[in-house]
Amino acid sequence: MAANEKLREKISHLPHRPGIYKFFDDEGIIYVGKAIDIRKRVSSYFNRSAQHNKKTLKLISKIKDIEFTIVDTEADAFLLENNLIKQYQPKYNILLKDGKTYPYICIVNERFPRVISTRNKINDGSRYFGPYPSGTTMHIVLDLIRTLYPLRTCTYNLSPENIAAGKFKVCLEYHIGNCKGPCEDLIDETTYNQYIAQIRNILSGNLSIAKTYFKERMAEAAADYQYEQAHRYKQKLDLLEDYQAKSTVVSNTLSNIDVFTITSNEKCAFVNYLKVMNGSIIQTQSLELHKKLDESDEELLATVIVQLRHEFESTSREIITNIELTLPLDNITITQPQIGDKRKLLNLSLKNAMYLRKEREGRQEQNKSLGEQRELRVLETLKKDLRLTELPRQIECFDNSNFQGDNPVASMVCFKNGKPSKKDYRHFHIKSVVGPNDFESMYEVVTRRYRRLLEEKQPLPQLIIIDGGKGQLSFAVQALKDLNLWGQIAIVGIAKRLEEIFYPGDKLPLYIDKKSESLKLIQRLRNEAHRFAITFHRSRRDAGTLKTELTDVKGIGPTTADALLQKFRSVKKLKELTLAELTEEVGQRKAQILYDYFRSSEEGSA
């Protein structure tokens, strides 16, 4: 059974139930999707009347197998899809990766916990806060915490047994007041853990508990006439007030809200996320997503919301967005506010997303402009080095390939404005030359190429490069003369050994500086033409070997051999077919002949 028929058979047995589906190629999972009805969704990919874009058609062409998992609800499918994408990172799914590792503040899971910065989240029971958009932002928060609370920074194992045994001594941090000395049992664990609880609240955006704590301590110290201690508490309270004032205050009426906005172009989407607690924006992140299958803004934003809420440990039950969106998640309200403080918050988020888009698109335009300037500079250098009369915006390079005189072929590659134009590449079967004659072969392919351009009234190149020495160059020149093109197109040859550039009629070669950009461009053309010719030659040689092997089998003629060659390309793939699959291709009689032949050849080689 052919691959497509196997897939159709499998699709016909898919369930009409909610769940996820996985597409596989020969190497593994390439796409994970969710569906309310698995069979309907998967069938839509293979519906011939469906108008799929090029990226989706490419995905479909790669599918070799399908698996599925049934779940109870659409919400379960939504969450399972997200988990599988993160686990397998399929090629055709959008992944939230931007090449950066953002910093976190970590409360380490240990006795007398440390509070540290890290870029790696480890599943060890520690509590992570973030990620922070920059190391500077993270360090501001970390410095505030270390100023407010005297925490240890050492990495000692402060188990009760080690402390009781007197294994550790206080360090300089204790003597300058930055640590209370838990290593010598100078602070009890309950008091230390109160500090940690307040730090958790601060990192979660809830400053009220810490502020109340310092106000109460300040009042108690003042009541006991400990004015210096009261002043120290007052300073810490001021630090908290100052930190809160520097946060972006939206409205005291807003509590726990997630804000997501998206804007996109044909290739990318730009998303901004704001996490709001107690009327202040406590975390923000902007992302650029590269589209894989021309996904809609709704699909992209749904994926981002689930992943970022998990990343930032959001428990908000309210999400506001700039597009209409439905998420199959319980107890979540999604709105698009039109007026009021929530609308202002939405506009702020959208402004950040638009700024990222403008900055990235501007950078792309700048890079494109710089690339065009560099390409123009290289072409100007090439024009000068080769003493050309016009800028070589279109360059074509020819190369021959044969193996001991068999299957002679040639290739032509075309560069436009210094870059490969692969749609203009051409392969040539050598038709008029008998035996391994590179000179005559070069004459033939140059003649055929430019006769066709003349007939079709296509633009001619400004420069032709011949991969070879004087002999091949002279035959190419003769071809141009016979076409009345001599003098209209510049032509040179490049010899491989010393990278010598030969001009028609000039006995002495030109040597271009090895570091020159123009020589590197010529070498790129020569190497690309050689690669293109060799690849074509190998495919023809392999095809010839396969066809010869098949036609040597009694009862298998050239027509059958050609048909099998066209579809399977190699004997190995043919040998893997079952008798039923061979029968489907060539009929019962010929299938039995081939099947017996392949089995006997395997036994003979054993």
Side-chain angles (χ1 to χ4, degrees):
M1 186 181 296
N4 287 341
E5 292 184 2
K6 287 182 179 179
L7 288 178
R8 284 195 288 271
E9 176 71 16
K10 181 163 284 192
I11 291 168
S12 69
H13 291 92
L14 292 175
H16 290 291
R17 296 279 303 278
I20 62 95
Y21 54 90
K22 294 178 282 188
F23 292 154
F24 293 78
D25 65 3
D26 292 328
E27 298 179 358
I29 296 176
I30 57 173
Y31 186 75
V32 175
K34 64 182 179 300
I36 299 175
D37 185 315
I38 295 175
R39 189 191 297 183
K40 282 186 178 179
R41 182 70 186 100
V42 174
S43 297
S44 69
Y45 286 95
F46 299 89
N47 187 344
R48 293 181 180 178
S49 62
Q51 298 296 315
H52 295 303
N53 60 57
K54 289 183 180 179
K55 294 179 181 178
T56 304
L57 290 173
K58 187 174 182 181
L59 164 66
I60 295 168
S61 70
K62 300 284 186 182
I63 299 171
K64 297 296 176 64
D65 197 8
I66 301 169
E67 290 183 3
F68 66 91
T69 301
I70 296 172
V71 295
D72 292 329
T73 66
E74 184 185 359
D76 292 334
F78 187 78
L79 295 173
L80 179 57
E81 177 200 37
N82 182 263
N83 291 335
L84 292 176
I85 289 171
K86 285 191 288 187
Q87 179 182 351
Y88 294 108
Q89 300 191 3
K91 180 179 179 181
Y92 289 93
N93 283 102
I94 285 289
L95 305 173
L96 267 63
K97 299 190 301 181
D98 56 7
K100 296 180 181 177
T101 304
Y102 289 99
Y104 294 83
I105 291 177
C106 172
I107 299 177
V108 184
N109 182 27
E110 58 192 5
R111 192 164 182 257
F112 297 104
R114 289 169 294 135
V115 179
I116 63 172
S117 63
T118 182
R119 290 181 183 268
N120 299 309
K121 291 182 70 174
I122 303 171
N123 189 20
D124 60 354
S126 298
R127 184 72 186 276
Y128 294 86
F129 297 86
Y132 290 87
S134 72
T136 302
T137 305
M138 183 268 300
H139 282 296
I140 289 172
V141 180
L142 201 56
D143 289 343
L144 170 69
I145 290 168
R146 288 171 177 168
T147 304
L148 294 174
Y149 302 99
L151 305 177
R152 74 176 180 118
T153 57
C154 63
T155 57
Y156 297 144
N157 178 9
L158 300 186
S159 66
E161 297 78 16
N162 288 342
I163 293 174
K167 286 189 174 183
F168 313 115
K169 296 294 180 182
V170 293
C171 64
L172 180 62
E173 291 293 309
Y174 171 80
H175 292 294
I176 63 177
N178 290 340
C179 178
K180 291 293 186 178
C183 59
E184 288 194 34
D185 206 20
L186 300 178
I187 181 174
D188 63 275
E189 192 171 357
T190 301
T191 302
Y192 194 97
N193 285 338
Q194 286 179 352
Y195 296 162
I196 295 299
Q198 292 175 34
I199 290 169
R200 286 198 190 99
N201 280 305
I202 291 172
L203 293 174
S204 298
N206 184 4
L207 305 185
S208 59
I209 295 176
K211 287 166 69 175
T212 300
Y213 172 82
F214 288 123
K215 283 178 182 178
E216 290 175 352
R217 299 291 83 76
M218 181 177 67
E220 290 173 1
D224 291 339
Y225 304 106
Q226 297 176 12
Y227 297 116
E228 289 185 6
Q229 182 66 31
H231 180 66
R232 282 193 286 271
Y233 284 126
K234 176 66 166 59
Q235 287 178 318
K236 293 181 186 243
L237 186 60
D238 289 343
L239 280 172
L240 275 175
E241 299 277 7
D242 183 59
Y243 172 70
Q244 187 173 31
K246 289 179 178 176
S247 300
T248 303
V249 178
V250 183
S251 170
N252 292 327
T253 63
L254 301 180
S255 55
N256 194 358
I257 298 174
D258 285 337
V259 186
F260 291 91
T261 54
I262 185 169
T263 178
S264 65
N265 57 31
E266 290 183 1
K267 295 182 179 180
C268 299
F270 306 88
V271 176
N272 177 259
Y273 167 54
L274 303 179
K275 184 177 182 181
V276 180
M277 290 193 68
N278 300 320
S280 296
I281 297 170
I282 64 166
Q283 285 172 319
T284 177
Q285 185 160 340
S286 296
L287 292 172
E288 178 184 7
L289 305 176
H290 295 274
K291 296 181 181 181
K292 298 293 185 69
L293 298 172
D294 197 28
E295 297 87 348
S296 67
D297 285 357
E298 291 77 10
E299 292 174 306
L300 293 172
L301 194 57
T303 300
V304 171
I305 286 175
V306 174
Q307 294 201 34
L308 286 187
R309 279 173 59 88
H310 174 76
E311 186 80 9
F312 284 88
E313 299 182 352
S314 174
T315 57
S316 170
R317 294 299 178 187
E318 182 176 3
I319 297 173
I320 64 177
T321 72
N322 66 319
I323 63 172
E324 188 172 340
L325 187 67
T326 301
L327 287 179
L329 300 177
D330 297 331
N331 302 318
I332 298 291
T333 302
I334 302 175
T335 58
Q336 297 171 263
Q338 302 301 314
I339 58 173
D341 291 332
K342 291 183 180 180
R343 181 65 198 188
K344 292 177 183 177
L345 193 59
L346 187 66
N347 289 341
L348 177 63
S349 176
L350 186 57
K351 186 184 294 183
N352 278 276
M354 292 296 294
Y355 178 83
L356 177 64
R357 175 177 176 176
K358 183 178 179 182
E359 184 266 329
R360 294 296 167 86
E361 289 178 345
R363 188 188 301 176
Q364 289 170 2
E365 285 298 318
Q366 183 181 21
N367 291 340
K368 181 180 178 181
S369 177
L370 290 174
E372 291 173 351
Q373 290 177 22
R374 179 188 174 278
E375 290 154 7
L376 182 61
R377 186 186 70 245
V378 173
L379 294 180
E380 291 284 2
T381 305
L382 183 62
K383 177 185 174 184
K384 179 180 177 182
D385 287 344
L386 296 184
R387 302 189 292 275
L388 305 178
T389 58
E390 57 183 324
L391 197 67
R393 291 193 175 274
Q394 180 171 327
I395 308 172
E396 297 186 351
C397 182
F398 292 82
D399 185 31
N400 292 327
S401 177
N402 66 75
F403 180 72
Q404 297 179 350
D406 292 333
N407 299 308
V409 297
S411 72
M412 185 282 298
V413 299
C414 177
F415 277 33
K416 292 183 177 179
N417 295 318
K419 295 187 294 186
S421 177
K422 295 195 175 183
K423 66 182 181 67
D424 295 305
Y425 285 18
R426 295 292 183 270
H427 282 134
F428 299 91
H429 296 276
I430 303 302
K431 299 177 179 179
S432 63
V433 181
V434 179
N437 189 327
D438 284 346
F439 299 155
E440 293 287 353
S441 296
M442 186 61 70
Y443 176 88
E444 178 186 322
V445 297
V446 171
T447 300
R448 286 167 56 189
R449 168 62 177 169
Y450 297 113
R451 178 186 292 145
R452 180 153 191 171
L453 289 187
L454 290 172
E455 290 172 352
E456 296 178 354
K457 298 182 180 179
Q458 296 293 319
L460 298 169
Q462 290 80 42
L463 175 63
I464 298 171
I465 297 174
I466 302 300
D467 184 11
K470 294 179 182 178
Q472 290 184 347
L473 176 62
S474 64
F475 275 76
V477 168
Q478 187 59 50
L480 293 181
K481 290 180 177 178
D482 292 346
L483 293 169
N484 294 318
L485 291 176
W486 176 240
Q488 297 184 43
I489 310 174
I491 182 168
V492 297
I494 178 170
K496 294 182 177 66
R497 191 170 65 89
L498 296 175
E499 306 292 40
E500 301 163 316
I501 307 297
F502 287 97
Y503 286 89
D506 195 336
K507 294 181 180 180
L508 298 176
L510 170 70
Y511 293 95
I512 300 177
D513 185 345
K514 301 293 184 184
K515 297 180 181 180
S516 169
E517 290 181 317
S518 60
L519 179 61
K520 290 178 181 178
L521 177 58
I522 294 172
Q523 290 170 331
R524 277 187 65 202
L525 278 146
R526 187 267 313 279
N527 295 340
E528 180 72 348
H530 186 63
R531 179 200 64 79
F532 198 50
I534 289 294
T535 303
F536 183 45
H537 182 259
R538 283 174 181 165
S539 67
R540 287 215 51 208
R541 192 177 65 208
D542 293 344
T545 302
L546 172 59
K547 186 174 178 180
T548 300
E549 183 170 352
L550 290 178
T551 52
D552 283 345
V553 181
K554 188 175 180 180
I556 303 299
T559 303
T560 302
D562 280 334
L564 292 173
L565 165 62
Q566 186 72 25
K567 186 166 185 177
F568 296 100
R569 300 292 181 184
S570 72
V571 172
K572 181 181 177 182
K573 289 183 180 179
L574 278 173
K575 287 181 178 179
E576 292 172 353
L577 299 180
T578 64
L579 180 59
E581 289 170 333
L582 280 169
T583 301
E584 192 174 324
E585 297 296 334
V586 297
Q588 186 175 358
R589 186 182 67 81
K590 292 180 181 179
Q592 191 65 55
I593 293 172
L594 285 171
Y595 189 77
D596 293 341
Y597 171 77
F598 292 144
R599 298 292 86 74
S600 63
S601 63
E602 286 179 359
E603 292 170 4
S605 61

